[in-house]
């Protein structure tokens, strides 16, 4: 018999699941028919590359497409674009579909993968009276958003934007601010707390200082609460408390919201972040799987539910779902919250890496923590490329285990976070990290890698503490 697998959503999570299911089925001789429904006209593109497309690093939107619809179909997937799932009936095992041409249909399934992803948060102030976004105000979420932004920035609307406001100081806000600045816009970033709220505020402040050096006006501790609209109906200014900031364009970088609506209406549970709650095999009900941005994840250590909508997890979770639905037995190993971003414009180049909880997050579950910021350099001090790097270590006082790390520094800083992620993944202590065999040559690192220096200093601090007790 041939089993019918229906996948909802044709981006990272959905297509990873579809391909892995077919691979495993080919290996085990199982017969699967895989149908993927995608409501947009696009599949398998890198949303992560959108800011770099706007900035001018990427030649075209097509370059961001990892695999075309034709390539998916050649590999045996029945991919249907312009097909929106509008209802799931788990008992009858059918999904109702609305096609872009207005037609409606009903698709049966033996197994279902929900990979409907997320959408950008859009606050009420961004909407005009007709419920549509105020012209000039837009998120950067999809390939269509990217194309629309590019047209706007290139003056397609008959006016060349000169001033841009970015609402939100997270990584998408930061990357969009870079694109604006590199396009010559007078750029203001407005953010509720400190810049990069996924870092401790002292580390976020270091990022803010770099943005200011590059020429970005940063309003931190401020929230956009309205816009002024000009004579033509397009945005003219952003209102944030007492501030009125002239704005020809406004980018929304206010976070992601899981597209879990139709799954929740079908009776599948959602968590406190609004995401689906798969088990470690990415299963949410009998023969029903979920992966990617529509799901909450589980922290690797501690097991808390978190919402970390990142492509790196979407692809891995999709693969796990696809493998298991085809008869395999693998698990998603959890998240640490490892992430990297940067800002390079206006003569500034800052890289940011983070893994594990922030100090505030860790303090909720662990009583006895030590944290220390260590400043060093990215390469031997006598090399021309040597630049400052700050490494914040978070460790458990009793076990001396590394709990978290945050890095802010010049070129070559960001990816160093992966050393810390690997160490935390394996449960290593700060002493272990300080003693590890890491690489060294003057252009790349001081004799001791900055991550090791920071862990060594933290270990010293812990020794001093215990000596003093
Ligand atoms: C600007 C930007 C930069 C980013 N940078 C990074 C980065 O550097 N690193 C990183 O790890 N992550 C990054 N991300 C996040 C990453 O893009 C997402 O985590 C990833 O795309 C999630 O994949 P997904 O398949 O779960 O969901 P999505 O990409 O959201 O795909 C879901 C798909 O489902 C479709 N869909 C939704 N509802 C339905 C329905 N009812 N019926 C049919 N189809 C439906 C949607 O149209 C969409 O195509 C970035 C995101 C953005 C927006």
């Amino acid at each position: 018999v041939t089993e019918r697998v229906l996948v909802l959503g044709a981006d990272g999570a959905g297509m990873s699941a579809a391909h892995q299911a077919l691979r495993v089925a080919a290996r085990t001789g199982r017969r699967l028919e895989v149908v993927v429904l995608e409501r947009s006209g696009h599949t398998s593109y890198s949303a992560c590359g959108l800011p770099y497309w706007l900035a001018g690093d990427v030649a075209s939107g097509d370059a961001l497409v990892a695999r075309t619809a034709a390539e998916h179909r050649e590999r045996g997937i029945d991919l249907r674009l312009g097909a929106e799932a509008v209802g799931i009936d788990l008992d009858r095992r059918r999904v109702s579909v609305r096609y872009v041409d207005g037609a409606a249909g009903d698709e049966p399934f033996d197994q279902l993968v929900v990979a409907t992803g997320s959408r950008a948060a859009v606050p009420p102030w961004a909407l005009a009276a007709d419920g549509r976004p105020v012209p000039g105000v837009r998120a950067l979420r999809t390939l269509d958003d990217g194309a629309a932004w590019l047209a706007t920035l290139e003056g397609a609307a008959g006016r060349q934007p000169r001033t841009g406001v970015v609402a939100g100081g997270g990584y998408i806000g930061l990357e969009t601010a870079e694109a604006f600045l590199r396009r010559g816009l007078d750029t203001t970033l407005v953010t509720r707390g400190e810049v990069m709220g996924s870092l401790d505020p002292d580390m976020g402040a270091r990022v803010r200082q770099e943005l200011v050096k590059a020429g970005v006006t940063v309003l931190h501790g401020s929230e956009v609460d309205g816009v002024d609209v000009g004579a033509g109906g397009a945005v003219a200014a952003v209102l944030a408390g007492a501030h009125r900031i002239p704005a020809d364009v406004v980018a929304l970088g206010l976070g992601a919201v899981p597209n879990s609506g139709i799954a929740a209406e079908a009776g599948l549970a959602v968590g406190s972040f609004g995401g689906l709650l798969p088990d470690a095999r990415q299963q949410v009900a009998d023969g029903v799987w979920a992966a990617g941005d529509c799901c909450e994840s589980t922290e690797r250590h501690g097991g808390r539910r978190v919402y970390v909508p990142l492509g790196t997890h979407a692809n891995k979770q999709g693969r796990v779902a696809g493998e298991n639905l085809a008869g395999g037995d693998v698990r998603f190993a959890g998240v640490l919250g490892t992430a990297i971003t940067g800002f390079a414009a206006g003569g500034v180049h800052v890289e940011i890496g983070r893994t594990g909880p922030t100090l505030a997050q860790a303090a909720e579950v662990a009583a006895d923590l030590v944290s220390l910021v260590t400043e060093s350099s990215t390469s031997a001090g006598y090399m021309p490329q040597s630049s400052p790097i700050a490494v914040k270590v978070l460790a458990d006082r009793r076990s001396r285990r590394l709990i978290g790390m945050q890095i802010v520094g010049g070129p070559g800083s960001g990816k160093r976070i992966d050393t810390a992620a690997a160490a935390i993944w394996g449960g290593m202590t700060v002493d272990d990290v300080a003693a590890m065999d890491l690489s060294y040559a003057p252009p790349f690192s001081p004799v001791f890698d900055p991550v090791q220096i920071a862990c060594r200093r933290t270990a010293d601090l812990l020794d001093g503490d215990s000596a003093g007790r």
Side-chain angles (χ1 to χ4, degrees):
V1 287
T2 299
E3 261 182 284
R4 196 161 201 263
V5 178
L6 201 56
V7 180
L8 310 183
D11 202 16
M15 296 320 287
S16 296
H19 283 286
Q20 189 62 10
L22 285 181
R23 262 182 236 120
V24 174
R27 205 164 65 216
T28 58
R30 202 156 156 164
R31 290 171 52 166
L32 296 182
E33 178 196 2
V34 179
V35 180
V36 183
L37 305 178
E38 166 57 50
R39 71 176 169 199
S40 77
H42 304 293
T43 174
S44 298
Y45 63 91
S46 166
C48 316
L50 292 171
Y52 306 101
W53 183 24
L54 297 198
D57 291 334
V58 181
S60 73
D62 289 347
L64 297 178
V65 177
R67 260 190 201 166
T68 63
E71 286 167 333
H72 288 306
R73 289 177 186 133
E74 271 163 30
R75 288 174 169 81
I77 290 168
D78 179 355
L79 170 61
R80 309 202 188 153
L81 299 178
E84 179 175 9
V86 290
I88 303 170
D89 187 332
L90 290 178
D91 295 329
R92 289 176 53 240
R93 301 198 88 72
R94 301 186 84 85
V95 166
S96 347
V97 190
R98 193 166 51 214
Y99 294 93
V100 71
D101 61 6
D106 201 26
E107 291 291 338
F109 64 83
D110 297 304
Q111 303 208 55
L112 180 70
V113 180
V114 183
T116 45
S118 65
R119 61 188 181 278
V122 179
W125 58 256
L127 300 174
D130 63 2
R132 290 153 60 134
V134 173
V137 180
R138 192 172 192 123
L140 179 60
R141 179 67 191 84
T142 64
L143 215 46
D144 292 335
D145 288 330
W149 266 115
L150 207 66
T152 302
L153 293 174
E154 287 175 348
R159 55 173 201 160
Q160 186 64 48
R162 294 214 164 71
T163 51
V165 171
V166 177
Y171 79 93
I172 293 179
L174 209 67
E175 292 169 7
T176 308
E178 171 183 324
F180 278 9
L181 203 68
R182 287 174 58 189
R183 292 227 163 232
L185 267 65
D186 192 341
T187 305
T188 303
L189 183 89
V190 184
T191 182
R192 183 158 48 184
E194 186 49 273
V195 170
M196 286 303 293
S198 59
L199 304 178
D200 287 328
D202 59 326
M203 296 298 278
R206 289 174 184 263
V207 180
R208 171 167 46 83
Q209 284 150 16
E210 295 301 311
L211 294 184
V212 170
K213 250 191 248 168
V216 178
T217 305
V218 181
L219 289 183
H220 63 294
S222 256
E223 245 178 285
V224 176
D225 38 37
V227 290
D228 274 350
V229 172
V235 68
V238 158
L239 310 172
H243 302 274
R244 182 181 183 282
I245 312 143
D248 297 329
V249 290
V250 180
L252 304 174
L254 297 166
V257 184
N259 286 329
S260 54
I262 56 163
E265 280 161 23
L268 296 169
V270 293
S272 54
F273 302 94
L276 294 166
L277 301 171
D279 63 16
R281 301 179 74 240
Q282 298 300 135
Q283 193 161 20
V284 285
D286 187 26
V288 184
W289 312 81
D293 279 14
C294 59
C295 298
E296 297 181 9
S297 303
T298 304
E299 271 183 344
R300 177 169 172 81
H301 300 305
R304 273 193 308 184
R305 286 284 183 182
V306 287
Y307 185 55
V308 190
L310 287 178
T312 175
H313 305 312
N315 283 283
K316 290 187 188 110
Q317 291 172 352
R319 200 181 154 92
V320 168
E323 174 114 19
N324 289 333
L325 78 82
D329 185 20
V330 291
R331 279 161 180 73
F332 179 70
V335 304
L336 297 177
T338 310
I340 183 167
T341 187
F343 176 94
V348 158
H349 179 133
V350 60
E351 297 182 2
I352 301 137
R354 54 107 49 233
T355 188
T358 59
L359 190 53
Q361 288 165 343
E364 282 173 23
V365 283
D368 217 2
L369 296 164
V370 63
S371 76
L372 182 70
V373 178
T374 301
E375 293 179 345
S376 60
S377 62
T378 54
S379 55
Y382 50 79
M383 294 300 289
Q385 65 269 52
S386 174
S387 51
I389 173 171
V391 179
K392 182 165 187 171
V393 173
L394 201 61
D396 180 68
R397 204 178 282 273
R398 239 169 6 102
S399 68
R400 300 172 73 98
R401 274 196 180 181
L402 182 63
I403 302 278
M405 186 175 284
Q406 297 162 35
I407 295 177
V408 177
S413 296
K415 264 307 235 185
R416 288 188 145 108
I417 201 64
D418 287 344
T419 306
I424 298 172
W425 194 262
M428 289 166 70
T429 63
V430 285
D431 313 275
D432 291 329
V433 179
M436 263 168 100
D437 178 7
L438 299 184
S439 57
Y440 159 65
F444 306 102
S445 176
V447 178
F448 287 98
D449 185 273
V451 165
Q452 290 190 297
I453 299 173
C455 285
R456 174 78 273 147
R457 295 266 171 84
T458 308
D460 290 347
L461 188 69
L462 288 167
D463 291 343
D465 265 18
S466 40
R469 271 184 189 172

